[in-house]
Amino acid sequence: MIPIAKPYFSEEEKRAVIEVLESGIIAQGHKVEEFEKKFADFCSVKYAVAVNSGTAALHAALHSMGIKKNDEVITTPFTFIATANTILMVGAKPVFADIEEDTFNINPLQIEQKITQRTKAILTVDLYGHLCDYEKISEIAKNNNLLLIEDACQSVNAQYKEKKAGSFGHIAAFSFYATKNLTCGEGGILTTNNIDYSENAKRFRQHGMSGLGAYDYNEIGYNYRMTDISAAIMLEQLKKAEMLTKKRIDNANYLNEKLKNVKGIKVPSVKKGFKHVFHQYTVKVQGFKLSRDELFEHLRKKGIGCSIYYPKPLHLCKSFAKLGYKENNLPIAEKMSKEVISLPVHPNVTKEQLDFIANSIASLG
Ligand SMILES: *Cc1c(COP(=O)(O)O)cnc(C)c1O
């Protein structure tokens, strides 16, 4: 099977882990601090707070900004569950706004229609590695006095003009889970230019502890710390960020060339001025010989680890049933969930494998 994702490690990561193990300081320490500094620089923001997952980063972000019970947070239904679950974790209410068909990202016009007296924040997701339309969304946030949180879990190193993912909102959250573009197995980080948010997140990561090392607590917190073992891996991954991103983009372009003229297959679009980092290379099946589900089965049988992100938009999932959404409430997200299929473009995929993937589709068309 050609897997949909595979981490890219070499000698550097192995050496870095051994060095930490031999140092005897393996939990949160200097490596975490060094990684936070380097990651903040990488995104051109002032502060970064490392945690042990993307979910923890989102939870800490929402908490640090003071989002709480009775607040509404506008977000996309076409994302991984953690985006909306973390809104529930702070007791707030997710309000789903429909997406754009070309980028799969939240539609700014739909955001505006969902704003109420209770709206406190917009939580955007840079799906598959393509940034949202932050020119419009930032303006909406500003005009309506709303906080903007960027779920950048899939978009590390993505760009709009000169600005990088993680620098568009008041806070952003990244994931370093095993399938993500940069990884240490499990990990995450939040980025911000606001020192209060950064300090709040640091307390939240450590049981709500009020001062350094003092066993005194002002509020609830969790154990969301990253280990130095993970941070040491991440420091090496960060050095490879450009190389790894380029491999994904090259692989995506290669598939584009082979698939763009296949009838019924729509290759991903990249809007002008955007750098797409292809966490997923996702095509739409629209009037192809096979249905999306048949194509999925066909490719799987051939050993191609294609995948569906996401087969059900969140507003139709049982865990959000009490919000009262029904079918056809968010038609674009629902349509996309029936048409998308993601193909492997991670940095370990070879040209021969890309040829095999493309030919397995094109030969049917
Ligand atoms: C991966 C992901 C998360 C959660 O990250 P974890 O590290 O798995 O907790 C959140 N949002 C999106 C969009 C993701 O892709």
Side-chain angles (χ1 to χ4, degrees), residues 53-55 58 79-80 82-83 125 151 153-154 175 177 180 187 310:
S53 74
T55 307
L58 282 167
T79 179
F80 182 57
T83 311
V125 179
D151 180 340
C153 286
Q154 303 188 359
S175 166
Y177 177 63
K180 297 288 160 55
Y310 296 89

Side-chain angles (χ1 to χ4, degrees), residues 36-225:
E36 289 174 333
K37 286 212 179 79
K38 297 222 160 113
F39 197 81
D41 285 348
F42 181 79
C43 299
S44 298
V45 298
K46 287 189 189 149
Y47 313 104
V49 180
V51 291
N52 50 27
S53 74
T55 307
L58 282 167
H59 189 193
L62 290 162
H63 172 87
S64 301
M65 304 174 105
I67 292 166
K68 57 185 186 308
K69 197 164 185 270
N70 296 326
D71 293 342
E72 292 179 1
V73 179
I74 298 172
T75 193
T76 169
F78 200 55
T79 179
F80 182 57
I81 183 75
T83 311
N85 268 350
T86 51
I87 298 172
L88 297 180
M89 285 180 200
V90 295
K93 178 180 167 186
V95 174
F96 296 113
D98 212 352
I99 59 169
E100 302 175 328
E101 194 160 341
D102 50 356
T103 63
F104 309 99
N105 285 333
I106 195 164
N107 182 335
L109 297 171
Q110 298 292 326
I111 295 176
E112 276 185 311
Q113 293 182 12
K114 300 282 177 168
I115 296 173
T116 71
Q117 292 292 332
R118 290 190 161 171
T119 309
K120 278 284 150 45
I122 304 166
L123 172 44
T124 56
V125 179
D126 306 326
L127 201 73
Y128 306 146
H130 191 302
L131 293 169
C132 295
D133 183 349
Y134 286 114
E135 269 179 8
K136 288 206 189 103
I137 296 171
S138 303
E139 195 174 301
I140 294 168
K142 205 166 158 205
N143 291 343
N144 294 280
N145 206 14
L146 302 176
L147 295 164
L148 178 56
I149 305 139
E150 184 188 356
D151 180 340
C153 286
Q154 303 188 359
S155 64
V156 68
N157 207 21
Q159 255 171 260
Y160 174 61
K161 295 182 179 165
E162 293 307 306
K163 257 171 96 71
K164 272 212 164 93
S167 68
F168 292 93
H170 296 98
I171 287 198
F174 292 86
S175 166
F176 305 123
Y177 177 63
T179 60
K180 297 288 160 55
N181 289 22
L182 304 179
T183 182
C184 57
E186 296 275 9
I189 201 163
L190 65 82
T191 53
T192 181
N193 284 312
N194 182 310
I195 188 153
D196 292 331
Y197 298 161
S198 159
E199 292 300 312
N200 291 347
K202 282 183 180 169
R203 283 195 302 276
F204 193 62
R205 160 175 79 178
Q206 177 129 308
H207 310 286
M209 204 180 264
S210 62
L212 266 183
Y215 286 89
D216 187 16
Y217 310 91
N218 297 336
E219 55 180 355
I220 193 173
Y222 292 76
N223 174 358
Y224 277 168
R225 292 182 302 258

